[in-house]
Amino acid sequence: MTQSTLNPFRPIQAGAYTLPTDRRTVVMGILNITPDSFSDGGKFNRLEQAVNRARQLVADGADIIDVGGESTRPGYIPVSPEEELRRVIPVIRELSQTIDVPISIDTTKAVVARRAVEAGAHVINDVWGFKKDPDMARTAAELDVPVILMHNREMARYDSLMDEICRDLMECVASARRAGVKEERIILDPGIGFGKTHEQNLTVMNHLERIVELGYPVLLGTSRKSLVGRTLDLPVEERVEGTGATVTLGIAKGCRIVRVHDVKEMVRVCRMTDAMVNASGGGEL
């Protein structure tokens, strides 16, 4: 397993934008253009609603907006590429003209990724780490944009959890690199809530530094997930504090990007955690 020789805490270039992951935690705001996402399905699946929501996320401090047109919640119903394109392309096209932060396309389909980048997206976020669509790696290489490769499995069966997650992620990296994706374009995501039991998700959270040690910037997506809901026995709309705890731990362990619904609150959590994690003065300990 060959690790990256690059600095995982380097800034990330996304089109004309620079994500300052060398200086602080970057906050990705979630914009679901779907009727069935687990947390906010149906709230923003019309153009005007979606654009207004994105503007609010930016006003609340989002550094990047992640646009998704297909739910990935447990038991989700897959949609066709045509339907996914119908949902996301008008929104991305409009957002590229109205907000001043980079846009990410959350998709597993190469055709959607290509059309989204052509419409104004700057980043590809693939929850299957290029394993679902055989054309995705080549497409990402041709588009030359940052890519987020998330860990995922069909079944939550492991002999050595962290070793296998790291190996799986590096297989995704190798696939991307063989297709021509530049090493400095790669971001990793441990895939909390995907292909893992509740107990395994907690274990991954406790060992996030293992993912960081692979040498790539790490994105953490825990917002409102069942990891929080099951631990605290709370419904989706009451998981802000639990999400904040996961964000704080993730930052302390080296994650540089967090993907969240509650942007205003999580920006505050990030800034406070950044201040503590990065503190170096104050005299003798």
Side-chain angles (χ1 to χ4, degrees), residues 10-140:
R10 65 187 182 277
I12 299 169
Q13 198 67 32
Y17 300 96
T18 302
L19 297 173
T21 43
D22 57 327
R23 295 186 288 107
R24 62 171 175 82
T25 305
V26 164
V27 177
M28 173 184 279
I30 298 169
L31 183 62
N32 289 318
I33 317 299
T34 60
D36 58 344
S37 290
F38 82 95
S39 177
D40 53 7
K43 289 186 177 181
F44 313 113
N45 60 342
R46 290 200 295 271
L47 180 60
E48 183 178 0
Q49 292 173 319
V51 171
N52 287 340
R53 174 60 174 168
R55 287 172 171 163
Q56 184 60 57
L57 292 174
V58 173
D60 288 343
D63 298 294
I64 180 170
I65 301 298
D66 190 43
V67 177
E70 180 178 48
S71 173
T72 54
R73 64 178 176 82
Y76 77 97
I77 300 173
V79 301
S80 67
E82 293 76 18
E83 174 62 18
E84 193 173 342
L85 286 166
R86 185 192 68 78
R87 293 176 181 180
V88 302
I89 296 304
V91 173
I92 291 171
R93 189 175 291 124
E94 183 68 19
L95 290 182
S96 69
Q97 302 298 317
T98 58
I99 64 173
D100 193 28
V101 300
I103 301 162
S104 170
I105 176 63
D106 182 356
T107 187
T108 61
K109 302 178 181 72
V111 64
V112 175
R114 182 179 293 279
R115 289 278 302 279
V117 172
E118 291 171 351
H122 307 85
V123 178
I124 297 170
N125 181 11
D126 186 344
V127 301
W128 275 101
F130 293 178
K131 291 184 176 181
K132 275 289 185 183
D133 187 334
D135 292 329
M136 183 64 102
R138 177 180 54 82
T139 297

